[in-house]
mmCIF file of all heavy atoms in Angstrom:
data_model
loop_
_atom_site.group_PDB
_atom_site.id
_atom_site.type_symbol
_atom_site.label_atom_id
_atom_site.label_comp_id
_atom_site.label_asym_id
_atom_site.label_seq_id
_atom_site.Cartn_x
_atom_site.Cartn_y
_atom_site.Cartn_z
ATOM 1 N N SER S 437 81.564 112.951 130.491
ATOM 2 C CA SER S 437 81.328 114.343 130.071
ATOM 3 C C SER S 437 82.581 115.206 130.159
ATOM 4 O O SER S 437 82.654 116.266 129.539
ATOM 5 C CB SER S 437 80.255 114.972 130.962
ATOM 6 O OG SER S 437 80.789 115.199 132.266
ATOM 7 N N GLY S 438 83.551 114.782 130.957
ATOM 8 C CA GLY S 438 84.743 115.606 131.150
ATOM 9 C C GLY S 438 84.525 116.719 132.165
ATOM 10 O O GLY S 438 85.386 117.575 132.354
ATOM 11 N N ALA S 439 83.391 116.727 132.837
ATOM 12 C CA ALA S 439 83.096 117.805 133.791
ATOM 13 C C ALA S 439 84.041 117.779 134.990
ATOM 14 O O ALA S 439 84.460 118.828 135.486
ATOM 15 C CB ALA S 439 81.651 117.690 134.271
ATOM 16 N N THR S 440 84.365 116.581 135.451
ATOM 17 C CA THR S 440 85.253 116.473 136.617
ATOM 18 C C THR S 440 86.389 115.519 136.286
ATOM 19 O O THR S 440 86.277 114.694 135.372
ATOM 20 C CB THR S 440 84.505 115.930 137.853
ATOM 21 O OG1 THR S 440 83.896 114.684 137.475
ATOM 22 C CG2 THR S 440 83.437 116.882 138.341
ATOM 23 N N GLU S 441 87.472 115.635 137.026
ATOM 24 C CA GLU S 441 88.627 114.776 136.741
ATOM 25 C C GLU S 441 88.727 113.586 137.667
ATOM 26 O O GLU S 441 89.434 112.630 137.384
ATOM 27 C CB GLU S 441 89.919 115.597 136.851
ATOM 28 C CG GLU S 441 90.072 116.535 135.682
ATOM 29 C CD GLU S 441 91.357 117.308 135.726
ATOM 30 O OE1 GLU S 441 92.157 117.101 136.662
ATOM 31 O OE2 GLU S 441 91.550 118.115 134.812
ATOM 32 N N GLU S 442 88.062 113.678 138.815
ATOM 33 C CA GLU S 442 88.237 112.578 139.761
ATOM 34 C C GLU S 442 86.969 112.304 140.553
ATOM 35 O O GLU S 442 86.079 113.140 140.653
ATOM 36 C CB GLU S 442 89.394 112.867 140.721
ATOM 37 C CG GLU S 442 89.158 114.093 141.586
ATOM 38 C CD GLU S 442 90.210 114.272 142.665
ATOM 39 O OE1 GLU S 442 91.363 113.844 142.459
ATOM 40 O OE2 GLU S 442 89.871 114.825 143.723
ATOM 41 N N VAL S 443 86.938 111.074 141.106
ATOM 42 C CA VAL S 443 85.936 110.729 142.114
ATOM 43 C C VAL S 443 86.708 110.432 143.394
ATOM 44 O O VAL S 443 87.907 110.137 143.350
ATOM 45 C CB VAL S 443 85.095 109.490 141.706
ATOM 46 C CG1 VAL S 443 84.168 109.821 140.555
ATOM 47 C CG2 VAL S 443 85.978 108.298 141.364
ATOM 48 N N ILE S 444 86.013 110.530 144.512
ATOM 49 C CA ILE S 444 86.692 110.344 145.803
ATOM 50 C C ILE S 444 85.987 109.252 146.591
ATOM 51 O O ILE S 444 84.763 109.272 146.740
ATOM 52 C CB ILE S 444 86.644 111.650 146.636
ATOM 53 C CG1 ILE S 444 87.151 112.831 145.798
ATOM 54 C CG2 ILE S 444 87.464 111.501 147.917
ATOM 55 C CD1 ILE S 444 86.692 114.178 146.347
ATOM 56 N N TYR S 445 86.762 108.269 147.063
ATOM 57 C CA TYR S 445 86.203 107.256 147.959
ATOM 58 C C TYR S 445 86.659 107.628 149.372
ATOM 59 O O TYR S 445 87.860 107.805 149.623
ATOM 60 C CB TYR S 445 86.708 105.854 147.599
ATOM 61 C CG TYR S 445 86.673 105.552 146.102
ATOM 62 C CD1 TYR S 445 87.806 105.075 145.449
ATOM 63 C CD2 TYR S 445 85.512 105.735 145.356
ATOM 64 C CE1 TYR S 445 87.795 104.794 144.087
ATOM 65 C CE2 TYR S 445 85.485 105.463 144.000
ATOM 66 C CZ TYR S 445 86.627 104.995 143.372
ATOM 67 O OH TYR S 445 86.616 104.740 142.021
ATOM 68 N N GLY S 446 85.695 107.752 150.288
ATOM 69 C CA GLY S 446 86.019 108.217 151.634
ATOM 70 C C GLY S 446 86.647 107.128 152.501
ATOM 71 O O GLY S 446 86.596 105.937 152.178
ATOM 72 N N ARG S 447 87.189 107.551 153.638
ATOM 73 C CA ARG S 447 87.761 106.575 154.577
ATOM 74 C C ARG S 447 86.671 105.647 155.115
ATOM 75 O O ARG S 447 86.951 104.537 155.535
ATOM 76 C CB ARG S 447 88.450 107.300 155.736
ATOM 77 C CG ARG S 447 89.734 107.994 155.322
ATOM 78 C CD ARG S 447 90.468 108.508 156.539
ATOM 79 N NE ARG S 447 90.917 107.402 157.371
ATOM 80 C CZ ARG S 447 91.158 107.486 158.683
ATOM 81 N NH1 ARG S 447 90.962 108.641 159.314
ATOM 82 N NH2 ARG S 447 91.569 106.434 159.378
ATOM 83 N N ASN S 448 85.415 106.135 155.106
ATOM 84 C CA ASN S 448 84.285 105.311 155.557
ATOM 85 C C ASN S 448 83.837 104.309 154.490
ATOM 86 O O ASN S 448 82.842 103.625 154.674
ATOM 87 C CB ASN S 448 83.096 106.209 155.936
ATOM 88 C CG ASN S 448 82.623 107.046 154.754
ATOM 89 O OD1 ASN S 448 83.415 107.399 153.882
ATOM 90 N ND2 ASN S 448 81.348 107.361 154.708
ATOM 91 N N GLU S 449 84.581 104.244 153.362
ATOM 92 C CA GLU S 449 84.266 103.306 152.284
ATOM 93 C C GLU S 449 85.486 102.401 152.046
ATOM 94 O O GLU S 449 86.027 102.343 150.944
ATOM 95 C CB GLU S 449 83.910 104.076 151.008
ATOM 96 C CG GLU S 449 82.756 105.065 151.201
ATOM 97 C CD GLU S 449 82.467 105.905 149.964
ATOM 98 O OE1 GLU S 449 83.233 106.825 149.653
ATOM 99 O OE2 GLU S 449 81.456 105.600 149.302
ATOM 100 N N PRO S 450 85.947 101.715 153.110
ATOM 101 C CA PRO S 450 87.223 100.984 153.002
ATOM 102 C C PRO S 450 87.218 99.871 151.961
ATOM 103 O O PRO S 450 88.255 99.560 151.357
ATOM 104 C CB PRO S 450 87.430 100.411 154.420
ATOM 105 C CG PRO S 450 86.067 100.385 155.037
ATOM 106 C CD PRO S 450 85.327 101.547 154.439
#
Side-chain angles (χ1 to χ4, degrees):
S437 71
T440 55
E441 287 183 1
E442 63 172 29
V443 290
I444 308 160
Y445 315 128
R447 289 189 66 205
N448 60 330
E449 304 176 286

